[in-house]
């Protein structure tokens, strides 16, 4: 089966979730009733910024704090 | 990032079952043994002690269960710790009681963050509260079907309930409560609103079953029979969590009679099959 076409819009930053673009899941939550689409998430500058902070964290404590902020953007 | 390339995942998300460690699958146990760090959210007696023998490093995530905090904030903290650990030293494991995709929002958050960070996840099932509910009550959804909802979601969306289909509703005692509450402190108004919602679909005297499944092999499952018109008052004094099962009011009538007859068992087996006269009969003998 050929891979699904990429979603419309600008490409995501290199090195982040490239293999997953176009993949959608159907996860509901208490806080976010809508669907989560990684392609859309990676086009959100707030999410991309939060991801960079996670990846650049120099300690586990910093990373947990950065991830907590990222979770707020995606869930 | 320190991922472990010899494993096909960086984060395993697993379920421990409902009854202590006695329902843990071999698949889950083997996965926990392979993990460098295990994060657990299960308050059943003996679970943490047992898991310490399987994994060298364990974090009990139930320490995040501060009251008066919105539950989503607690779930974010849990997920953040797991993902951070996976970035430091994979593979790690997140283990929840029951099934990891049965009303377990940290699993969802972990999956989402892992996708964004190119971490590999694997999901392994556990025996869920739905599984134990079927055995606790001895019901088989093959007969009348089954509808499953979360209480707040059903109420907020005003989901239509089919009174001729069995109905499971989760998290009724904390309906419309966003915060992690002190056990036993319920709101009569919220419960009453939920009761009024159910009364749109069910007779007031229809009896529902509130089931608190056992969390240890030495305990017993508690099943309370509650008429729907008494649901709010009865759950107000109930300090435990549980699942609500509403049996169908009636069986749904057959609509396609001809199709139903096609599915009916024919008693054609009463006529013995033809066989040679000199050949002995095999199989069960007719009663003398």
């Amino acid at each position: 089966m050929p891979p699904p076409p990429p979603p419309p819009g600008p490409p995501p930053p290199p090195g982040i979730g490239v293999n997953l673009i176009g993949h959608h899941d159907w996860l509901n939550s208490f806080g976010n009733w809508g669907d989560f689409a990684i392609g859309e998430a990676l086009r959100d500058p707030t999410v991309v910024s939060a991801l960079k902070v996670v990846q650049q964290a120099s300690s586990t404590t910093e990373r947990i704090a950065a991830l907590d902020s990222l979770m707020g953007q995606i869930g | 990032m320190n991922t472990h390339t010899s494993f096909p995942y960086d984060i395993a998300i697993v379920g421990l079952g409902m009854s202590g460690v006695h329902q843990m699958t071999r698949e889950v146990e083997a996965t926990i043994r392979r993990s460098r760090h295990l994060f657990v959210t299960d308050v059943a007696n003996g679970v943490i002690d047992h898991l310490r023998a399987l994994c060298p490093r364990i974090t009990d995530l139930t320490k995040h269960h501060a009251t008066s905090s919105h539950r989503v904030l607690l779930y974010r903290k849990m997920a953040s710790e797991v993902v951070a650990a996976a970035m430091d030293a994979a593979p790690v494991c997140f283990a929840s009681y029951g099934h990891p995709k049965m009303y377990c929002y940290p699993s969802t958050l972990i999956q989402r963050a892992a996708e964004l960070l190119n971490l590999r996840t694997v999901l392994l099932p556990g025996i869920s509260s739905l599984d134990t509910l079927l055995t606790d009550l001895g019901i088989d959804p093959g007969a009348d079907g089954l509808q499953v909802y979360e209480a707040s979601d059903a109420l907020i969306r005003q989901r239509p309930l089919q009174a001729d289909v069995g109905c499971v509703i989760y998290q009724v005692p904390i309906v419309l409560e966003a915060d992690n509450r002190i056990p036993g402190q319920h709101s009569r108004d919220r419960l009453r609103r939920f009761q009024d919602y159910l009364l749109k679909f069910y007779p007031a005297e229809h009896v529902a079953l509130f089931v608190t499944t056992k969390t240890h092999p030495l305990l017993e499952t508690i099943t309370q029979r509650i008429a729907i018109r008494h649901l709010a008052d009865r759950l107000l004094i109930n300090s435990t969590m549980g699942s609500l099962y509403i049996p169908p009011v009636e069986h749904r009538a057959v609509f396609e009679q001809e199709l139903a007859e096609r599915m009916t068992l024919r008693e054609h087996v009463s006529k013995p099959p033809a066989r040679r006269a000199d050949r002995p009969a095999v199989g069960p003998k007719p009663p003398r």
Side-chain angles (χ1 to χ4, degrees):
Chain A
M1 181 185 293
I16 301 178
V18 172
N19 56 326
L20 293 164
I21 297 301
H23 169 73
H24 292 249
D25 61 21
W26 311 104
L27 305 171
N28 291 323
S29 72
F30 298 108
N32 177 9
W33 297 101
D35 303 322
F36 174 75
I38 192 165
E40 291 173 19
L42 290 173
R43 282 197 299 275
D44 182 339
T46 317
V47 172
V48 174
S49 173
L51 269 175
K52 283 181 183 168
V53 176
V54 171
Q55 291 169 325
Q56 292 168 358
S58 57
S59 70
T60 302
T61 307
E62 273 186 32
R63 187 167 291 137
I64 290 173
L67 279 162
D68 200 39
S69 175
L70 175 66
M71 298 293 175
Q73 305 297 326
I74 61 175
Chain B
M1 198 181 304
N2 184 14
T3 55
H4 203 296
T5 53
S6 62
F7 291 100
Y9 56 85
D10 300 305
I11 306 174
I13 302 170
V14 307
L16 297 172
M18 299 297 294
S19 181
V21 296
H22 288 251
Q23 291 174 347
M24 193 194 309
T25 67
R26 292 186 176 183
E27 180 182 44
V28 165
E29 180 176 333
T31 301
I32 290 173
R33 286 183 185 278
R34 285 195 292 267
S35 299
R36 292 178 173 178
H37 194 160
L38 172 64
F39 295 83
V40 189
T41 170
D42 191 333
V43 295
N45 284 336
V47 170
I48 295 287
D49 291 334
H50 178 85
L51 294 175
R52 284 190 208 287
L54 305 182
C55 184
R57 190 171 179 200
I58 291 187
T59 296
D60 179 4
L61 290 174
T62 60
K63 69 177 188 290
H64 289 311
H65 284 189
T67 52
S68 303
S69 296
H70 196 291
R71 289 203 297 276
V72 168
L73 298 179
L74 306 179
Y75 300 152
R76 285 180 190 165
K77 285 185 190 300
M78 293 180 184
S80 297
E81 281 202 37
V82 175
V83 175
M87 294 177 76
D88 283 345
V92 303
C93 181
F94 169 72
S96 70
Y97 68 92
H99 189 289
K101 293 301 287 183
M102 193 75 181
Y103 297 88
C104 186
Y105 190 43
S107 299
T108 296
L109 288 175
I110 291 168
Q111 285 182 290
R112 289 179 178 180
E115 285 189 33
L116 290 169
L117 291 160
N118 276 334
L119 293 169
R120 302 158 301 167
T121 59
V122 63
L123 275 168
L124 299 177
I127 292 180
S128 72
S129 53
L130 184 58
D131 296 314
T132 55
L133 186 76
L134 297 179
T135 51
D136 285 336
L137 297 179
I139 53 176
D140 186 333
D144 290 300
L146 194 65
Q147 50 197 328
V148 182
Y149 296 114
E150 197 272 336
S152 298
D153 173 63
L155 182 55
I156 290 168
R157 294 176 190 269
Q158 288 288 299
R159 290 191 181 276
L161 302 179
Q162 296 184 69
D164 56 9
V165 175
C167 183
V168 176
I169 301 184
Y170 286 108
Q171 301 186 328
V172 175
I174 55 171
V175 64
L176 298 179
E177 290 187 28
D179 292 350
N180 198 30
R181 61 165 175 74
I182 300 169
Q185 291 189 352
H186 307 294
S187 160
R188 183 189 297 272
D189 289 343
R190 292 170 184 159
L191 290 169
R192 185 65 52 79
R193 288 180 77 162
F194 185 73
Q195 176 181 302
D196 291 343
Y197 159 71
L198 291 182
L199 288 172
K200 294 178 184 175
F201 307 98
Y202 295 97
E205 297 299 330
H206 189 60
V207 173
L209 304 165
F210 187 74
V211 181
T212 303
T213 198
K214 63 181 181 180
T215 56
H216 191 278
L218 295 179
L219 298 175
E220 289 187 1
T221 292
I222 299 169
T223 303
Q224 301 176 69
R225 298 168 57 84
I226 309 172
I228 289 178
R229 71 186 181 94
H230 295 311
L231 193 68
D233 290 337
R234 289 287 297 276
L235 292 186
L236 191 66
I237 57 174
N238 194 306
S239 62
T240 57
M241 282 295 290
S243 309
L244 189 71
Y245 175 71
I246 310 174
V249 174
E250 59 185 356
H251 298 299
R252 191 173 184 86
V254 171
F255 184 75
E256 295 279 2
Q257 195 62 45
E258 182 191 344
L259 296 179
E261 286 175 8
R262 281 195 213 171
M263 303 295 290
T264 302
L265 173 67
R266 306 288 176 207
E267 294 300 331
H268 58 274
V269 292
S270 59
K271 182 181 177 183
R275 68 171 188 271
R276 288 201 318 258
D278 59 341
R279 189 172 182 136
V282 295
K285 303 290 186 293
R288 295 178 180 174

mmCIF file with all atom_site columns, all heavy atoms in Angstrom, chain B residues 169-189:
data_model
loop_
_atom_site.group_PDB
_atom_site.id
_atom_site.type_symbol
_atom_site.label_atom_id
_atom_site.label_alt_id
_atom_site.label_comp_id
_atom_site.label_asym_id
_atom_site.label_entity_id
_atom_site.label_seq_id
_atom_site.pdbx_PDB_ins_code
_atom_site.Cartn_x
_atom_site.Cartn_y
_atom_site.Cartn_z
_atom_site.occupancy
_atom_site.B_iso_or_equiv
_atom_site.pdbx_formal_charge
_atom_site.auth_seq_id
_atom_site.auth_comp_id
_atom_site.auth_asym_id
_atom_site.auth_atom_id
_atom_site.pdbx_PDB_model_num
ATOM 1   N N   . ILE B 1 169 ? -21.926 2.065  32.405 1.00 0.00 ? 169 ILE B N   1
ATOM 2   C CA  . ILE B 1 169 ? -21.522 3.464  32.552 1.00 0.00 ? 169 ILE B CA  1
ATOM 3   C C   . ILE B 1 169 ? -20.446 3.547  33.631 1.00 0.00 ? 169 ILE B C   1
ATOM 4   O O   . ILE B 1 169 ? -20.642 3.098  34.760 1.00 0.00 ? 169 ILE B O   1
ATOM 5   C CB  . ILE B 1 169 ? -22.712 4.368  32.901 1.00 0.00 ? 169 ILE B CB  1
ATOM 6   C CG1 . ILE B 1 169 ? -23.769 4.252  31.799 1.00 0.00 ? 169 ILE B CG1 1
ATOM 7   C CG2 . ILE B 1 169 ? -22.248 5.818  33.033 1.00 0.00 ? 169 ILE B CG2 1
ATOM 8   C CD1 . ILE B 1 169 ? -24.953 5.159  31.962 1.00 0.00 ? 169 ILE B CD1 1
ATOM 9   N N   . TYR B 1 170 ? -19.319 4.115  33.224 1.00 0.00 ? 170 TYR B N   1
ATOM 10  C CA  . TYR B 1 170 ? -18.180 4.224  34.141 1.00 0.00 ? 170 TYR B CA  1
ATOM 11  C C   . TYR B 1 170 ? -18.131 5.588  34.803 1.00 0.00 ? 170 TYR B C   1
ATOM 12  O O   . TYR B 1 170 ? -18.601 6.579  34.257 1.00 0.00 ? 170 TYR B O   1
ATOM 13  C CB  . TYR B 1 170 ? -16.870 3.990  33.374 1.00 0.00 ? 170 TYR B CB  1
ATOM 14  C CG  . TYR B 1 170 ? -16.663 2.541  33.027 1.00 0.00 ? 170 TYR B CG  1
ATOM 15  C CD1 . TYR B 1 170 ? -16.792 2.098  31.717 1.00 0.00 ? 170 TYR B CD1 1
ATOM 16  C CD2 . TYR B 1 170 ? -16.363 1.609  34.007 1.00 0.00 ? 170 TYR B CD2 1
ATOM 17  C CE1 . TYR B 1 170 ? -16.609 0.764  31.394 1.00 0.00 ? 170 TYR B CE1 1
ATOM 18  C CE2 . TYR B 1 170 ? -16.176 0.286  33.696 1.00 0.00 ? 170 TYR B CE2 1
ATOM 19  C CZ  . TYR B 1 170 ? -16.298 -0.135 32.393 1.00 0.00 ? 170 TYR B CZ  1
ATOM 20  O OH  . TYR B 1 170 ? -16.131 -1.451 32.089 1.00 0.00 ? 170 TYR B OH  1
ATOM 21  N N   . GLN B 1 171 ? -17.532 5.611  35.954 1.00 0.00 ? 171 GLN B N   1
ATOM 22  C CA  . GLN B 1 171 ? -17.218 6.834  36.691 1.00 0.00 ? 171 GLN B CA  1
ATOM 23  C C   . GLN B 1 171 ? -18.463 7.626  37.079 1.00 0.00 ? 171 GLN B C   1
ATOM 24  O O   . GLN B 1 171 ? -18.446 8.853  37.098 1.00 0.00 ? 171 GLN B O   1
ATOM 25  C CB  . GLN B 1 171 ? -16.240 7.693  35.880 1.00 0.00 ? 171 GLN B CB  1
ATOM 26  C CG  . GLN B 1 171 ? -14.948 6.931  35.591 1.00 0.00 ? 171 GLN B CG  1
ATOM 27  C CD  . GLN B 1 171 ? -13.864 7.744  34.920 1.00 0.00 ? 171 GLN B CD  1
ATOM 28  O OE1 . GLN B 1 171 ? -14.138 8.641  34.157 1.00 0.00 ? 171 GLN B OE1 1
ATOM 29  N NE2 . GLN B 1 171 ? -12.631 7.417  35.228 1.00 0.00 ? 171 GLN B NE2 1
ATOM 30  N N   . VAL B 1 172 ? -19.528 6.896  37.408 1.00 0.00 ? 172 VAL B N   1
ATOM 31  C CA  . VAL B 1 172 ? -20.750 7.576  37.863 1.00 0.00 ? 172 VAL B CA  1
ATOM 32  C C   . VAL B 1 172 ? -20.523 8.339  39.176 1.00 0.00 ? 172 VAL B C   1
ATOM 33  O O   . VAL B 1 172 ? -20.968 9.488  39.304 1.00 0.00 ? 172 VAL B O   1
ATOM 34  C CB  . VAL B 1 172 ? -21.910 6.569  38.005 1.00 0.00 ? 172 VAL B CB  1
ATOM 35  C CG1 . VAL B 1 172 ? -23.138 7.255  38.596 1.00 0.00 ? 172 VAL B CG1 1
ATOM 36  C CG2 . VAL B 1 172 ? -22.248 5.970  36.648 1.00 0.00 ? 172 VAL B CG2 1
ATOM 37  N N   . PRO B 1 173 ? -19.825 7.775  40.178 1.00 0.00 ? 173 PRO B N   1
ATOM 38  C CA  . PRO B 1 173 ? -19.681 8.526  41.432 1.00 0.00 ? 173 PRO B CA  1
ATOM 39  C C   . PRO B 1 173 ? -18.973 9.865  41.266 1.00 0.00 ? 173 PRO B C   1
ATOM 40  O O   . PRO B 1 173 ? -19.151 10.754 42.095 1.00 0.00 ? 173 PRO B O   1
ATOM 41  C CB  . PRO B 1 173 ? -18.851 7.584  42.320 1.00 0.00 ? 173 PRO B CB  1
ATOM 42  C CG  . PRO B 1 173 ? -19.131 6.228  41.784 1.00 0.00 ? 173 PRO B CG  1
ATOM 43  C CD  . PRO B 1 173 ? -19.263 6.416  40.302 1.00 0.00 ? 173 PRO B CD  1
ATOM 44  N N   . ILE B 1 174 ? -18.172 10.026 40.223 1.00 0.00 ? 174 ILE B N   1
ATOM 45  C CA  . ILE B 1 174 ? -17.467 11.304 40.058 1.00 0.00 ? 174 ILE B CA  1
ATOM 46  C C   . ILE B 1 174 ? -17.999 12.046 38.832 1.00 0.00 ? 174 ILE B C   1
ATOM 47  O O   . ILE B 1 174 ? -17.279 12.818 38.212 1.00 0.00 ? 174 ILE B O   1
ATOM 48  C CB  . ILE B 1 174 ? -15.940 11.096 39.952 1.00 0.00 ? 174 ILE B CB  1
ATOM 49  C CG1 . ILE B 1 174 ? -15.605 10.123 38.821 1.00 0.00 ? 174 ILE B CG1 1
ATOM 50  C CG2 . ILE B 1 174 ? -15.370 10.625 41.268 1.00 0.00 ? 174 ILE B CG2 1
ATOM 51  C CD1 . ILE B 1 174 ? -14.099 10.058 38.523 1.00 0.00 ? 174 ILE B CD1 1
ATOM 52  N N   . VAL B 1 175 ? -19.269 11.818 38.520 1.00 0.00 ? 175 VAL B N   1
ATOM 53  C CA  . VAL B 1 175 ? -19.836 12.476 37.345 1.00 0.00 ? 175 VAL B CA  1
ATOM 54  C C   . VAL B 1 175 ? -19.739 13.994 37.497 1.00 0.00 ? 175 VAL B C   1
ATOM 55  O O   . VAL B 1 175 ? -20.008 14.553 38.568 1.00 0.00 ? 175 VAL B O   1
ATOM 56  C CB  . VAL B 1 175 ? -21.295 12.016 37.124 1.00 0.00 ? 175 VAL B CB  1
ATOM 57  C CG1 . VAL B 1 175 ? -22.200 12.429 38.270 1.00 0.00 ? 175 VAL B CG1 1
ATOM 58  C CG2 . VAL B 1 175 ? -21.834 12.554 35.800 1.00 0.00 ? 175 VAL B CG2 1
ATOM 59  N N   . LEU B 1 176 ? -19.304 14.643 36.442 1.00 0.00 ? 176 LEU B N   1
ATOM 60  C CA  . LEU B 1 176 ? -19.147 16.110 36.368 1.00 0.00 ? 176 LEU B CA  1
ATOM 61  C C   . LEU B 1 176 ? -18.138 16.657 37.368 1.00 0.00 ? 176 LEU B C   1
ATOM 62  O O   . LEU B 1 176 ? -18.138 17.845 37.669 1.00 0.00 ? 176 LEU B O   1
ATOM 63  C CB  . LEU B 1 176 ? -20.494 16.820 36.549 1.00 0.00 ? 176 LEU B CB  1
ATOM 64  C CG  . LEU B 1 176 ? -21.564 16.531 35.490 1.00 0.00 ? 176 LEU B CG  1
ATOM 65  C CD1 . LEU B 1 176 ? -22.846 17.288 35.828 1.00 0.00 ? 176 LEU B CD1 1
ATOM 66  C CD2 . LEU B 1 176 ? -21.075 16.907 34.099 1.00 0.00 ? 176 LEU B CD2 1
ATOM 67  N N   . GLU B 1 177 ? -17.264 15.809 37.883 1.00 0.00 ? 177 GLU B N   1
ATOM 68  C CA  . GLU B 1 177 ? -16.215 16.286 38.782 1.00 0.00 ? 177 GLU B CA  1
ATOM 69  C C   . GLU B 1 177 ? -14.889 16.259 38.031 1.00 0.00 ? 177 GLU B C   1
ATOM 70  O O   . GLU B 1 177 ? -14.401 15.198 37.672 1.00 0.00 ? 177 GLU B O   1
ATOM 71  C CB  . GLU B 1 177 ? -16.113 15.403 40.025 1.00 0.00 ? 177 GLU B CB  1
ATOM 72  C CG  . GLU B 1 177 ? -17.308 15.547 40.958 1.00 0.00 ? 177 GLU B CG  1
ATOM 73  C CD  . GLU B 1 177 ? -17.108 14.803 42.265 1.00 0.00 ? 177 GLU B CD  1
ATOM 74  O OE1 . GLU B 1 177 ? -15.956 14.643 42.693 1.00 0.00 ? 177 GLU B OE1 1
ATOM 75  O OE2 . GLU B 1 177 ? -18.115 14.365 42.838 1.00 0.00 ? 177 GLU B OE2 1
ATOM 76  N N   . ALA B 1 178 ? -14.318 17.423 37.817 1.00 0.00 ? 178 ALA B N   1
ATOM 77  C CA  . ALA B 1 178 ? -13.051 17.502 37.086 1.00 0.00 ? 178 ALA B CA  1
ATOM 78  C C   . ALA B 1 178 ? -11.856 17.282 38.007 1.00 0.00 ? 178 ALA B C   1
ATOM 79  O O   . ALA B 1 178 ? -10.809 16.813 37.576 1.00 0.00 ? 178 ALA B O   1
ATOM 80  C CB  . ALA B 1 178 ? -12.920 18.856 36.402 1.00 0.00 ? 178 ALA B CB  1
ATOM 81  N N   . ASP B 1 179 ? -12.027 17.607 39.281 1.00 0.00 ? 179 ASP B N   1
ATOM 82  C CA  . ASP B 1 179 ? -10.900 17.519 40.206 1.00 0.00 ? 179 ASP B CA  1
ATOM 83  C C   . ASP B 1 179 ? -10.794 16.125 40.803 1.00 0.00 ? 179 ASP B C   1
ATOM 84  O O   . ASP B 1 179 ? -11.777 15.394 40.898 1.00 0.00 ? 179 ASP B O   1
ATOM 85  C CB  . ASP B 1 179 ? -11.055 18.527 41.347 1.00 0.00 ? 179 ASP B CB  1
ATOM 86  C CG  . ASP B 1 179 ? -10.909 19.954 40.851 1.00 0.00 ? 179 ASP B CG  1
ATOM 87  O OD1 . ASP B 1 179 ? -10.502 20.123 39.681 1.00 0.00 ? 179 ASP B OD1 1
ATOM 88  O OD2 . ASP B 1 179 ? -11.212 20.870 41.613 1.00 0.00 ? 179 ASP B OD2 1
ATOM 89  N N   . ASN B 1 180 ? -9.592  15.800 41.213 1.00 0.00 ? 180 ASN B N   1
ATOM 90  C CA  . ASN B 1 180 ? -9.371  14.568 41.948 1.00 0.00 ? 180 ASN B CA  1
ATOM 91  C C   . ASN B 1 180 ? -9.927  14.787 43.359 1.00 0.00 ? 180 ASN B C   1
ATOM 92  O O   . ASN B 1 180 ? -9.464  15.644 44.091 1.00 0.00 ? 180 ASN B O   1
ATOM 93  C CB  . ASN B 1 180 ? -7.867  14.264 42.028 1.00 0.00 ? 180 ASN B CB  1
ATOM 94  C CG  . ASN B 1 180 ? -7.605  12.834 42.377 1.00 0.00 ? 180 ASN B CG  1
ATOM 95  O OD1 . ASN B 1 180 ? -8.394  11.962 42.035 1.00 0.00 ? 180 ASN B OD1 1
ATOM 96  N ND2 . ASN B 1 180 ? -6.509  12.583 43.059 1.00 0.00 ? 180 ASN B ND2 1
ATOM 97  N N   . ARG B 1 181 ? -10.960 14.051 43.706 1.00 0.00 ? 181 ARG B N   1
ATOM 98  C CA  . ARG B 1 181 ? -11.674 14.370 44.937 1.00 0.00 ? 181 ARG B CA  1
ATOM 99  C C   . ARG B 1 181 ? -11.269 13.446 46.082 1.00 0.00 ? 181 ARG B C   1
ATOM 100 O O   . ARG B 1 181 ? -10.626 12.421 45.890 1.00 0.00 ? 181 ARG B O   1
ATOM 101 C CB  . ARG B 1 181 ? -13.172 14.214 44.709 1.00 0.00 ? 181 ARG B CB  1
ATOM 102 C CG  . ARG B 1 181 ? -13.520 12.781 44.332 1.00 0.00 ? 181 ARG B CG  1
ATOM 103 C CD  . ARG B 1 181 ? -14.979 12.496 44.444 1.00 0.00 ? 181 ARG B CD  1
ATOM 104 N NE  . ARG B 1 181 ? -15.276 11.159 43.976 1.00 0.00 ? 181 ARG B NE  1
ATOM 105 C CZ  . ARG B 1 181 ? -14.988 10.047 44.640 1.00 0.00 ? 181 ARG B CZ  1
ATOM 106 N NH1 . ARG B 1 181 ? -14.397 10.115 45.799 1.00 0.00 ? 181 ARG B NH1 1
ATOM 107 N NH2 . ARG B 1 181 ? -15.285 8.873  44.138 1.00 0.00 ? 181 ARG B NH2 1
ATOM 108 N N   . ILE B 1 182 ? -11.689 13.850 47.266 1.00 0.00 ? 182 ILE B N   1
ATOM 109 C CA  . ILE B 1 182 ? -11.513 13.001 48.435 1.00 0.00 ? 182 ILE B CA  1
ATOM 110 C C   . ILE B 1 182 ? -12.553 11.887 48.352 1.00 0.00 ? 182 ILE B C   1
ATOM 111 O O   . ILE B 1 182 ? -13.744 12.166 48.139 1.00 0.00 ? 182 ILE B O   1
ATOM 112 C CB  . ILE B 1 182 ? -11.707 13.808 49.728 1.00 0.00 ? 182 ILE B CB  1
ATOM 113 C CG1 . ILE B 1 182 ? -10.672 14.935 49.785 1.00 0.00 ? 182 ILE B CG1 1
ATOM 114 C CG2 . ILE B 1 182 ? -11.622 12.927 50.954 1.00 0.00 ? 182 ILE B CG2 1
ATOM 115 C CD1 . ILE B 1 182 ? -10.923 15.941 50.878 1.00 0.00 ? 182 ILE B CD1 1
ATOM 116 N N   . PRO B 1 183 ? -12.150 10.603 48.492 1.00 0.00 ? 183 PRO B N   1
ATOM 117 C CA  . PRO B 1 183 ? -13.122 9.514  48.372 1.00 0.00 ? 183 PRO B CA  1
ATOM 118 C C   . PRO B 1 183 ? -14.295 9.691  49.331 1.00 0.00 ? 183 PRO B C   1
ATOM 119 O O   . PRO B 1 183 ? -14.124 10.072 50.490 1.00 0.00 ? 183 PRO B O   1
ATOM 120 C CB  . PRO B 1 183 ? -12.301 8.279  48.741 1.00 0.00 ? 183 PRO B CB  1
ATOM 121 C CG  . PRO B 1 183 ? -10.895 8.653  48.430 1.00 0.00 ? 183 PRO B CG  1
ATOM 122 C CD  . PRO B 1 183 ? -10.792 10.118 48.713 1.00 0.00 ? 183 PRO B CD  1
ATOM 123 N N   . GLY B 1 184 ? -15.477 9.461  48.837 1.00 0.00 ? 184 GLY B N   1
ATOM 124 C CA  . GLY B 1 184 ? -16.655 9.549  49.679 1.00 0.00 ? 184 GLY B CA  1
ATOM 125 C C   . GLY B 1 184 ? -17.356 10.892 49.629 1.00 0.00 ? 184 GLY B C   1
ATOM 126 O O   . GLY B 1 184 ? -18.467 11.027 50.125 1.00 0.00 ? 184 GLY B O   1
ATOM 127 N N   . GLN B 1 185 ? -16.686 11.888 49.070 1.00 0.00 ? 185 GLN B N   1
ATOM 128 C CA  . GLN B 1 185 ? -17.315 13.205 49.005 1.00 0.00 ? 185 GLN B CA  1
ATOM 129 C C   . GLN B 1 185 ? -17.923 13.407 47.616 1.00 0.00 ? 185 GLN B C   1
ATOM 130 O O   . GLN B 1 185 ? -17.240 13.724 46.656 1.00 0.00 ? 185 GLN B O   1
ATOM 131 C CB  . GLN B 1 185 ? -16.297 14.300 49.305 1.00 0.00 ? 185 GLN B CB  1
ATOM 132 C CG  . GLN B 1 185 ? -15.838 14.304 50.752 1.00 0.00 ? 185 GLN B CG  1
ATOM 133 C CD  . GLN B 1 185 ? -14.994 15.516 51.084 1.00 0.00 ? 185 GLN B CD  1
ATOM 134 O OE1 . GLN B 1 185 ? -14.625 16.287 50.211 1.00 0.00 ? 185 GLN B OE1 1
ATOM 135 N NE2 . GLN B 1 185 ? -14.696 15.679 52.358 1.00 0.00 ? 185 GLN B NE2 1
ATOM 136 N N   . HIS B 1 186 ? -19.195 13.203 47.531 1.00 0.00 ? 186 HIS B N   1
ATOM 137 C CA  . HIS B 1 186 ? -19.868 13.327 46.250 1.00 0.00 ? 186 HIS B CA  1
ATOM 138 C C   . HIS B 1 186 ? -20.813 14.518 46.294 1.00 0.00 ? 186 HIS B C   1
ATOM 139 O O   . HIS B 1 186 ? -21.144 15.038 47.352 1.00 0.00 ? 186 HIS B O   1
ATOM 140 C CB  . HIS B 1 186 ? -20.672 12.070 45.934 1.00 0.00 ? 186 HIS B CB  1
ATOM 141 C CG  . HIS B 1 186 ? -19.859 10.813 46.037 1.00 0.00 ? 186 HIS B CG  1
ATOM 142 N ND1 . HIS B 1 186 ? -18.816 10.536 45.191 1.00 0.00 ? 186 HIS B ND1 1
ATOM 143 C CD2 . HIS B 1 186 ? -19.944 9.768  46.879 1.00 0.00 ? 186 HIS B CD2 1
ATOM 144 C CE1 . HIS B 1 186 ? -18.294 9.371  45.527 1.00 0.00 ? 186 HIS B CE1 1
ATOM 145 N NE2 . HIS B 1 186 ? -18.960 8.882  46.548 1.00 0.00 ? 186 HIS B NE2 1
ATOM 146 N N   . SER B 1 187 ? -21.269 14.878 45.140 1.00 0.00 ? 187 SER B N   1
ATOM 147 C CA  . SER B 1 187 ? -22.217 15.974 45.041 1.00 0.00 ? 187 SER B CA  1
ATOM 148 C C   . SER B 1 187 ? -23.592 15.412 44.717 1.00 0.00 ? 187 SER B C   1
ATOM 149 O O   . SER B 1 187 ? -23.779 14.745 43.703 1.00 0.00 ? 187 SER B O   1
ATOM 150 C CB  . SER B 1 187 ? -21.777 16.937 43.944 1.00 0.00 ? 187 SER B CB  1
ATOM 151 O OG  . SER B 1 187 ? -22.859 17.719 43.526 1.00 0.00 ? 187 SER B OG  1
ATOM 152 N N   . ARG B 1 188 ? -24.557 15.678 45.599 1.00 0.00 ? 188 ARG B N   1
ATOM 153 C CA  . ARG B 1 188 ? -25.907 15.183 45.367 1.00 0.00 ? 188 ARG B CA  1
ATOM 154 C C   . ARG B 1 188 ? -26.488 15.780 44.081 1.00 0.00 ? 188 ARG B C   1
ATOM 155 O O   . ARG B 1 188 ? -27.147 15.092 43.318 1.00 0.00 ? 188 ARG B O   1
ATOM 156 C CB  . ARG B 1 188 ? -26.804 15.530 46.552 1.00 0.00 ? 188 ARG B CB  1
ATOM 157 C CG  . ARG B 1 188 ? -28.227 14.983 46.423 1.00 0.00 ? 188 ARG B CG  1
ATOM 158 C CD  . ARG B 1 188 ? -29.113 15.551 47.508 1.00 0.00 ? 188 ARG B CD  1
ATOM 159 N NE  . ARG B 1 188 ? -28.676 15.158 48.844 1.00 0.00 ? 188 ARG B NE  1
ATOM 160 C CZ  . ARG B 1 188 ? -29.064 14.048 49.455 1.00 0.00 ? 188 ARG B CZ  1
ATOM 161 N NH1 . ARG B 1 188 ? -29.903 13.233 48.856 1.00 0.00 ? 188 ARG B NH1 1
ATOM 162 N NH2 . ARG B 1 188 ? -28.647 13.759 50.658 1.00 0.00 ? 188 ARG B NH2 1
ATOM 163 N N   . ASP B 1 189 ? -26.203 17.072 43.839 1.00 0.00 ? 189 ASP B N   1
ATOM 164 C CA  . ASP B 1 189 ? -26.768 17.722 42.655 1.00 0.00 ? 189 ASP B CA  1
ATOM 165 C C   . ASP B 1 189 ? -26.266 17.072 41.371 1.00 0.00 ? 189 ASP B C   1
ATOM 166 O O   . ASP B 1 189 ? -27.030 16.848 40.436 1.00 0.00 ? 189 ASP B O   1
ATOM 167 C CB  . ASP B 1 189 ? -26.405 19.218 42.650 1.00 0.00 ? 189 ASP B CB  1
ATOM 168 C CG  . ASP B 1 189 ? -27.157 19.974 43.730 1.00 0.00 ? 189 ASP B CG  1
ATOM 169 O OD1 . ASP B 1 189 ? -28.157 19.429 44.244 1.00 0.00 ? 189 ASP B OD1 1
ATOM 170 O OD2 . ASP B 1 189 ? -26.740 21.092 44.065 1.00 0.00 ? 189 ASP B OD2 1
#
